[in-house]
Structure formats: structure tokens, C-alpha cells
Amino acid sequence: MQVNTLILGAGAAGMMCAAHAGPSVLVIDHAKAPGEKIRISGGGRCNFTNMHTDPARFLGQNPHFHKSALSRYTQWDFLDLVDRYKIAWHEKTLGQLFCDDKATQIVDMLRTEMAQAGAQLWLQTSLVDLSHDGVLFTAQLERDGKRHSVTARNLVLATGGKSIPKMGATGLAYDIARQFGHQVTDTRPALVPLTFSDQRFAPISGVATPVIAEANGTAFEEALLFTHRGLSGPAVLQISSYWKEGDSISVNLLPGHDLVTALRSARQTHGKRNVTTALAEILPERLVTHLSAELALSGNVGDLSDRRIDELTNYLRNWTLIPTGSEGYRTAEVTLGGISTDRIDSKTMMSRDMPGLFMIGEAVDVTGWLGGFNFQWAWSSGVACGRAIAKRT
Ligand SMILES: Cc1cc2nc3c(=O)[nH]c(=O)nc-3n(C[C@H](O)[C@H](O)[C@H](O)COP(=O)(O)OP(=O)(O)OC[C@H]3O[C@@H](n4cnc5c(N)ncnc54)[C@H](O)[C@@H]3O)c2cc1C
């Protein structure tokens, strides 16, 4: 069988690319259904983009690489598509756009777009072997127990990163990129809960509080959630992309609170109130109980000196912790790092060294913040690649 374009991976980026890549496209995926991560994303409602998409909200060794694709297919372009399909949506918070109903509406929309473009989709299909003769790629595929040999002028690597292997994530794109001479940067789980081997937060698991969490100079003001194994919630998921084993994190438990003034005034008005009771007016009670030994909280507010009030405030503003690790790829939303962008053309997503080889989506060393940015990268890089292939054809 001969096609113009073979796309490996029917996820967010692969499907978007197929819808724009012109005629004669075959998309293969080893999963039973396309877009499985879209289906489970955003608690089943898919946070499909972010109104505040901006290149500064992405990480990667080259901070400029993603600018071109993001500016040529923007969050507004994707929203336009969603509106054309009459998919109802809402902004949840911080520019994050979600479906009102079901994430599968996005999958169905992409399937329709692909079908309208004439792309074929082969599910439960795996790649057995791949070669290149200088002009064409030849892929040996296995589908329904049968071998198929497919030749293609263009090959698109869209098999994503390593996060959630249970859902079929593999390092296939990295292996093929390496096979054709591309470098792959170090990869790490990102947007992932952080863990503590002593499970010190197990007694307060389920408690959530607004914080400013910071790792290696980057801070996010969002909610923090204590879990059996450590820390989660959007603030922690965000900083996990900036954290490495051995690094400390700092948590400001008092965003928007002037604890110094509150305790000084309570000293005058409610001097007989227990210090823990006074703090529990600002922080969740179970968290105050948890912190009481570490902070030696005892006695009444009336007995607090100015110095002690300053000391408590500074401690709670710079609560410093050293996580042992993270939950890893088992639960990470994304993989940080990936195929190095050094030898990829940022306008077309094509290899600079091997014409016809394209790399898109999470497989590439571009990682977004939490909040719809990773899907936007999948859409933008998929469209950039698809349009380039259509032009090449
Ligand atoms: C639980 C969860 C929730 C998320 N929620 C959001 C969210 O709300 N908003 C957001 O922006 N991002 C979210 N993300 C991140 C987002 O899902 C990814 O960044 C995005 O799906 C990447 O798109 P992709 O097409 O590059 O890869 P994927 O969508 O992962 O697609 C890769 C495809 O390749 C296939 N594949 C892999 N290996 C092989 C192989 N060896 N052979 C054949 N096929 C293969 C897979 O089956 C898959 O269909 C979430 C991720 C997770 C895990």
C-alpha cells in the first residue's frame, strides 16, 4: 500500500494534523480508540485550550521554538472550530476553557474533521519495522494479526510522551527520532503530584488551601491539596515542572492574608483565644493542628510577642519542604522534554536533516503549563505540520 502521509498516533496532535495534511493520509494507533487522553482529560470535560495562551507558558530547551506554530494556529482558531461544531463550553478559571458536556465531543469533532479530509484511521495497529530508502519511508504494520507494508513520502511522529503507560503511552516517537539522527533531551514526568516517603501528610489528606507555591524561582498562586502520599492540587502540579529530585519547594500558606495585623489585633480584642484557634480562622483547622508541633503552637494570642508573631508569619509564608519524589509517569499529565527542537523547522515541524520526517505534539521538547496549554500545543503543532505536508504535496 502506498500513501502520501503516514501518521503514527491518533491522539490530539495526530488527528489535528490528519485533518490538514491533504490527500492520501493514513493514521495508525495501537489503541482501540483514537484520542483516549482527550476523552479522560479535564475530568471528562477536556480543558481544550486556554484564552491566555502565550509562549511564556511553555517549557523547553529552546524558549522560542513553539512561538511560530502557536501564533499561526491560535487558541481563537481552535475555539472557532469548537463553535462551528456547536460544542458548548465555559471558562472554568484562569482562561481555562472546558466542554460543558463531554470531552468525547472533541474526539468526535476531530474524527469528523479527519474523515472529511479523507484520512484513513487504522486502530489496534502497531509498527513492526520502519526504514527509509532516501525518498520513501516503508513501514511494516501489524493489524488484526496481518502484516501490511506501507510506503509513504511523509512520516509524522505523533505518539506523544511517556505519561500514563497504562493508557498505551510509549517512547516510540523518541526511538524513531533517534533512529533518524535526532537527539532526545532528558525526559521527566511533569504536572505530577509530589511525594514524601514518610507520608507525613496522610493525616490531613483531602485538605485543600490556596497558596503560592514556588520551585526554582517559578511560583504559581493556586490551590494546594494534601494527599496520602504528599502534595497535589494545581499549584503543586504546576511547580512540579520546575522541580527536580533533591530540590526544595517553598509554600506561602498566607496569600492575601496579613497575619501580622490579624494576630496583633486579636491580641487586643481576643487575648484569651488559643493561638491555634486564631490561626484556624485563616488556615484549615486540620492543617493548623498538623503544623502545631512543628511551630510549637501553644498558649493564648494575648501572650504572643511581636517577635513571635513575625516568626510565625515568616514561617507560614516560606514553608520549606523537600519532596522525596513524584508520582511518576503513572499519573503525570505530561512528559517534560522530548525530541530536541534543535533540528526541527519550527514553521513546518519537519526534520532539518531528513525531509519528509515530521514531529509534533507532546513527543517534542515543548511542555505547557497546566490549564489547556498542552492541547493547544498539540493543535498548533498538528496544524503547522499538516499544512506543510499539504503544501509539499
Ligand atoms: C489524565 C490526563 C489529563 C489531561 N488533561 C489535559 C487537559 O485538560 N488539557 C490539556 O491541555 N492537556 C491535558 N493533558 C495532556 C494532554 O492529554 C497531552 O498533552 C496531549 O494529549 C498530547 O497530544 P499528543 O497527540 O502529542 O499525544 P497523545 O494525545 O498522547 O496521543 C498519542 C497517541 O499515540 C498512540 N501511541 C503511543 N505509542 C504508540 C505506539 N507504540 N504505536 C501506536 N500508537 C501509539 C497513543 O495510543 C495515542 O493515541 C492531560 C493528560 C492526562 C494524562
Side-chain angles (χ1 to χ4, degrees), residues 9-14 29-31 37 40-42 47 125 158-160 164 168 170 172 332-334 361-362 372-375 378:
D29 201 296
H30 64 178
K37 278 197 186 160
I40 61 151
S41 67
N47 176 195
T125 303
T159 52
I164 325 238
T170 66
L172 182 69
E333 269 196 25
V334 283
E362 197 183 317
F373 301 102
N374 285 296
F375 277 136

Coordinates of all heavy atoms in Angstrom, one line a residue, residues 9-14 29-31 37 40-42 47 125 158-160 164 168 170 172 332-334 361-362 372-375 378, ligand 1:
G9 N 0.1 7.6 15.5 CA -0.5 8.2 16.7 C -1.8 9.0 16.4 O -1.7 10.0 15.7
A10 N -2.9 8.4 16.8 CA -4.2 9.1 16.6 C -4.6 9.8 17.9 O -5.7 9.6 18.4 CB -5.3 8.2 16.1
G11 N -3.7 10.6 18.4 CA -4.0 11.4 19.6 C -4.4 12.8 19.2 O -4.7 13.1 18.0
A12 N -4.3 13.8 20.1 CA -4.7 15.2 19.8 C -3.9 15.7 18.6 O -4.5 16.2 17.6 CB -4.4 16.0 21.0
A13 N -2.6 15.6 18.6 CA -1.8 16.2 17.5 C -1.9 15.5 16.2 O -2.1 16.1 15.1 CB -0.3 16.2 17.9
G14 N -1.9 14.1 16.3 CA -2.0 13.3 15.1 C -3.3 13.5 14.3 O -3.3 13.7 13.1
D29 N -2.8 3.8 15.1 CA -2.7 3.8 16.5 C -2.8 2.4 17.1 O -3.6 1.7 16.6 CB -3.8 4.7 17.1 CG -3.4 5.3 18.5 OD1 -3.3 4.4 19.4 OD2 -3.2 6.5 18.6
H30 N -2.1 2.1 18.1 CA -2.2 0.8 18.7 C -3.4 0.7 19.7 O -3.8 -0.4 20.1 CB -0.9 0.3 19.4 CG -0.5 1.1 20.5 ND1 0.6 0.8 21.3 CD2 -1.0 2.2 21.1 CE1 0.8 1.6 22.2 NE2 -0.2 2.5 22.2
A31 N -4.0 1.8 20.0 CA -5.2 1.8 20.9 C -6.4 1.3 20.2 O -6.5 1.3 19.0 CB -5.3 3.1 21.6
K37 N -6.6 10.2 25.5 CA -6.2 11.2 26.5 C -7.2 12.4 26.5 O -7.5 13.0 27.5 CB -4.8 11.6 26.4 CG -3.8 10.6 27.0 CD -2.5 11.2 27.2 CE -1.6 10.1 27.7 NZ -0.2 10.5 27.5
I40 N -10.3 11.4 28.6 CA -10.3 11.4 30.1 C -9.8 12.7 30.6 O -9.8 13.0 31.8 CB -9.3 10.3 30.6 CG1 -7.9 10.5 30.1 CG2 -9.8 8.9 30.3 CD1 -6.8 10.0 31.1
S41 N -9.4 13.7 29.7 CA -8.8 14.9 30.2 C -9.9 15.8 30.9 O -11.1 15.7 30.6 CB -8.2 15.7 29.0 OG -9.2 16.1 28.1
G42 N -9.3 16.7 31.7 CA -10.2 17.7 32.4 C -11.4 17.0 33.1 O -12.5 17.6 33.0
N47 N -10.1 20.2 29.1 CA -9.7 21.6 29.1 C -8.9 21.8 27.8 O -7.7 21.7 27.7 CB -8.8 21.9 30.3 CG -8.2 23.2 30.4 OD1 -7.3 23.4 31.2 ND2 -8.7 24.2 29.7
T125 N -3.3 -1.1 15.6 CA -2.3 -1.4 14.6 C -0.9 -1.0 15.2 O -0.8 0.1 15.8 CB -2.6 -0.5 13.4 OG1 -3.9 -0.8 12.9 CG2 -1.5 -0.8 12.3
A158 N 3.7 11.2 16.1 CA 2.7 11.9 16.9 C 2.2 11.0 18.0 O 1.0 10.9 18.4 CB 1.5 12.4 16.1
T159 N 3.2 10.2 18.5 CA 2.8 9.2 19.5 C 2.9 9.7 21.0 O 2.8 8.9 21.9 CB 3.6 7.8 19.3 OG1 5.0 8.1 19.3 CG2 3.2 7.1 18.1
G160 N 3.1 11.0 21.1 CA 3.1 11.6 22.5 C 4.3 11.2 23.3 O 5.3 10.8 22.8
I164 N 1.4 8.1 31.6 CA 0.3 7.1 31.8 C 0.5 5.9 30.8 O -0.2 5.7 29.8 CB -1.1 7.7 31.6 CG1 -1.1 9.1 32.2 CG2 -2.1 6.8 32.1 CD1 -2.1 9.4 33.3
G168 N -1.3 3.3 27.2 CA -0.7 3.0 26.0 C 0.4 3.9 25.6 O 0.9 3.9 24.4
T170 N 4.0 5.2 25.0 CA 5.3 4.5 24.7 C 6.3 5.6 24.3 O 6.0 6.7 24.0 CB 5.2 3.5 23.6 OG1 4.9 4.2 22.4 CG2 4.1 2.5 23.8
L172 N 7.9 5.5 21.5 CA 8.1 5.2 20.1 C 8.6 6.4 19.3 O 9.6 6.2 18.5 CB 6.8 4.6 19.5 CG 7.0 4.3 18.0 CD1 7.8 3.0 17.8 CD2 5.6 4.0 17.3
A332 N 1.4 11.3 35.8 CA 1.8 12.6 35.3 C 1.0 13.0 34.1 O 0.7 12.1 33.2 CB 3.3 12.6 34.8
E333 N 0.6 14.2 34.0 CA -0.3 14.7 32.8 C 0.6 14.8 31.6 O 0.1 14.6 30.5 CB -0.9 16.0 33.1 CG -2.3 15.8 33.7 CD -3.2 17.0 33.7 OE1 -3.0 17.9 32.8 OE2 -4.1 17.1 34.5
V334 N 1.8 15.1 31.8 CA 2.7 15.3 30.6 C 4.1 14.8 30.8 O 4.5 14.6 32.0 CB 2.8 16.7 30.1 CG1 1.5 17.1 29.3 CG2 3.1 17.7 31.2
G361 N 3.4 17.6 18.7 CA 2.7 17.3 20.0 C 3.7 17.0 21.1 O 4.8 17.6 21.1
E362 N 3.2 16.2 22.1 CA 4.0 16.1 23.3 C 5.3 15.3 23.1 O 6.2 15.4 24.0 CB 3.1 15.3 24.3 CG 3.5 15.3 25.7 CD 2.6 14.5 26.6 OE1 1.4 14.5 26.5 OE2 3.2 13.8 27.5
G372 N -4.8 23.7 29.8 CA -5.2 23.7 28.4 C -4.1 24.0 27.4 O -4.3 24.0 26.2
F373 N -2.9 24.3 27.9 CA -1.8 24.7 27.1 C -1.2 23.5 26.3 O -0.8 23.7 25.2 CB -0.7 25.4 27.9 CG -1.2 26.6 28.6 CD1 -1.5 26.6 30.0 CD2 -1.4 27.8 28.0 CE1 -1.9 27.7 30.7 CE2 -1.8 28.9 28.6 CZ -2.1 28.9 30.0
N374 N -1.3 22.3 26.9 CA -0.7 21.2 26.2 C -1.5 20.8 25.0 O -1.0 20.4 24.0 CB -0.4 20.0 27.2 CG 0.8 20.3 28.1 OD1 1.9 20.4 27.5 ND2 0.5 20.6 29.3
F375 N -2.9 20.9 25.2 CA -3.7 20.6 24.0 C -3.5 21.6 22.9 O -3.4 21.3 21.7 CB -5.2 20.5 24.4 CG -5.5 19.1 24.9 CD1 -6.4 19.0 26.0 CD2 -5.1 18.0 24.3 CE1 -6.7 17.7 26.5 CE2 -5.4 16.7 24.7 CZ -6.2 16.6 25.8
A378 N -0.6 20.7 21.0 CA -0.9 19.6 20.1 C -1.7 20.1 18.8 O -1.4 19.8 17.7 CB -1.8 18.6 20.8
Ligands
LIG1 C1 -5.1 12.4 32.8 C2 -4.7 13.5 31.8 C3 -5.4 14.6 31.7 C4 -5.0 15.7 30.9 N1 -5.8 16.8 30.8 C5 -5.4 17.8 30.0 C6 -6.2 18.9 29.8 O1 -7.3 19.0 30.3 N2 -5.8 20.0 29.0 C7 -4.6 19.9 28.3 O2 -4.2 20.8 27.6 N3 -3.8 18.8 28.4 C8 -4.2 17.7 29.2 N4 -3.4 16.6 29.3 C9 -2.2 16.5 28.4 C10 -2.7 16.1 27.0 O3 -3.5 15.0 27.1 C11 -1.4 15.8 26.1 O4 -0.5 16.8 26.2 C12 -1.9 15.6 24.7 O5 -2.8 14.6 24.6 C13 -0.7 15.3 23.8 O6 -1.2 15.1 22.5 P1 -0.3 14.1 21.5 O7 -1.2 13.9 20.3 O8 1.0 14.6 21.4 O9 -0.2 12.7 22.3 P2 -1.4 11.8 22.8 O10 -2.7 12.5 22.9 O11 -0.9 11.1 24.0 O12 -1.6 10.7 21.6 C14 -0.6 9.8 21.3 C15 -1.2 8.6 20.6 O13 -0.2 7.8 20.1 C16 -0.6 6.4 20.4 N5 0.6 5.6 20.6 C17 1.6 5.7 21.5 N6 2.5 4.8 21.4 C18 2.2 4.1 20.3 C19 2.8 3.0 19.6 N7 3.9 2.5 20.0 N8 2.2 2.6 18.5 C20 1.0 3.1 18.0 N9 0.4 4.1 18.6 C21 1.0 4.6 19.8 C22 -1.4 6.5 21.7 O14 -2.3 5.4 21.8 C23 -2.2 7.8 21.5 O15 -3.4 7.7 20.9 C24 -3.8 15.5 30.1 C25 -3.1 14.4 30.2 C26 -3.5 13.4 31.0 C27 -2.7 12.1 31.1

